[in-house]
Amino acid sequence: RSPICVAFRCSWGENLPRQWLFRRSTAMGLTGSHLRFQDVSPWTSEIIVKNLMQTPALILEAKHHHRPSPEKVVEHRVLPGEHVIVSGRLQEPRATFYIRTGQASAVEVKAPHLARLVITNEPHGLRVESQDEEVSLLDIEKDVAMMIPGSDTVPMLLRHEHFKDVRPKSERFAVGGA
């Protein structure tokens, strides 16, 4: 029988030793010691992304929402359809994302919990929209926008256009996975 514990009592009525309840988990070798305080996020935000394109959309999430930067990001590839990105936060109530929208353009998206983003095709890139008033979409400077990686759309591929072709030679930004 596996115990289901509520208030120091197991499902079969026995009391558990107090040290069992507060023991640190070492499952799979993770003890939590690899986390720093600024990386801990007691709240999570769920951002709903509706990708209406035929190709995956590349969305970069800022690792630190209280000091967002396109230099330190986590990569999300959102397949066609409706999906949720779960983002943790400590201080800033909105998650920050970076999306390359054109050959020399990108947007910074700040979205609160349960915000909805819609991504559609454009002739030379993609469009990001939201009906939510709390969502802010800010254009990024051209030089920084060209450093942000993007995912080619079908109209771009038909025109033989690629985001990587106009990307500067210097790799300033590092994209890391979660």
Side-chain angles (χ1 to χ4, degrees):
R1 300 184 305 192
S2 70
I4 300 173
C5 298
V6 178
F8 303 104
R9 293 189 70 77
C10 294
S11 59
W12 58 85
E14 296 176 19
N15 284 333
L16 281 179
R18 192 170 180 84
Q19 64 268 21
W20 286 13
L21 298 174
F22 301 106
R23 187 174 9 175
R24 290 174 59 176
S25 173
T26 57
M28 300 291 289
L30 297 177
T31 62
S33 62
H34 64 286
L35 297 175
R36 294 177 306 207
F37 179 71
Q38 65 264 27
D39 296 331
V40 176
S41 46
W43 299 283
T44 58
S45 297
E46 295 179 0
I47 313 303
I48 302 162
V49 179
K50 189 171 188 178
N51 182 0
L52 298 177
M53 303 186 303
Q54 297 85 6
T55 57
L58 179 60
I59 299 177
L60 305 176
E61 177 187 0
K63 284 186 178 180
H64 306 289
H65 299 294
H66 62 285
R67 284 178 308 163
S69 168
E71 294 177 355
K72 296 181 181 176
V73 296
V74 176
E75 184 178 299
H76 298 279
R77 291 203 183 269
V78 180
L79 298 174
E82 193 165 296
H83 303 278
V84 173
I85 296 177
V86 178
S87 174
R89 60 187 163 86
L90 180 62
Q91 297 170 344
E92 174 64 36
R94 298 184 298 172
T96 305
F97 301 98
Y98 298 97
I99 305 171
R100 180 91 175 256
T101 56
Q103 296 288 353
S105 62
V107 294
E108 177 185 78
V109 180
K110 290 192 177 266
H113 179 59
L114 294 179
R116 296 180 65 84
L117 299 175
V118 178
I119 300 175
T120 56
N121 283 323
E122 284 282 303
H124 299 280
L126 53 96
R127 177 187 299 171
V128 180
E129 299 174 312
S130 179
Q131 300 296 326
D132 298 331
E133 294 176 9
E134 297 86 19
V135 174
S136 67
L137 301 168
L138 303 170
D139 291 328
I140 297 177
E141 297 176 22
K142 181 179 178 180
D143 296 335
V144 177
M146 291 175 61
M147 296 284 219
I148 296 172
S151 182
D152 297 336
T153 64
V154 171
M156 289 175 64
L157 295 173
L158 292 174
R159 290 182 175 83
H160 301 288
E161 297 173 352
H162 305 281
F163 284 128
K164 64 178 177 152
D165 293 343
V166 293
R167 208 162 163 203
K169 301 291 183 212
S170 66
E171 294 292 327
R172 181 175 160 203
F173 299 123
V175 177

